[in-house]
Amino acid sequence: MSLIVEIAGMLGGMMAEYAHSKKWSKIKTFFTASAGFFALFATYVLLFPSDRGVFIGIIVAICLGTVLGLCCIGLMHYYEKYKK
């Protein structure tokens, strides 16, 4: 699981930098980041199903994708507001 988290962090950082350099809107960045994180965690759940079932894993992947998408937007907003 830690490898998946590290890959997600790396991809999230690269995606945020790319979106900032291309001047994407925050909505487009949110949906792209959420979809990327969802796909990554859903793949993990499908490859290594837990005892609670795949359905719970997909729900958790949706939640993580949404939260991490919001984190990307928050970091972009923070960078734009306080860049020096």
Side-chain angles (χ1 to χ4, degrees):
M1 181 64 177
S2 63
L3 178 63
I4 297 294
V5 171
E6 290 299 320
I7 290 173
M10 179 188 69
L11 289 176
M14 291 187 324
M15 196 178 322
E17 287 179 18
Y18 181 78
H20 182 71
S21 68
K22 296 294 182 181
K23 305 286 189 228
W24 283 3
S25 68
K26 288 188 177 18
I27 301 283
K28 185 176 181 180
T29 304
F30 169 74
F31 283 118
T32 305
S34 293
F37 288 125
F38 169 74
L40 187 67
F41 285 112
T43 303
Y44 174 78
V45 167
L46 292 175
L47 290 176
F48 307 105
S50 67
D51 296 336
R52 296 182 185 198
V54 174
F55 181 71
I56 298 295
I58 296 296
I59 297 296
V60 170
I62 290 170
C63 293
L64 284 173
T66 304
V67 168
L68 293 173
L70 289 173
C71 287
C72 282
I73 297 299
L75 289 173
M76 285 179 64
H77 177 72
Y78 178 80
Y79 177 74
E80 289 172 359
K81 188 173 181 180
Y82 295 110
K83 72 178 179 182
K84 295 179 180 181

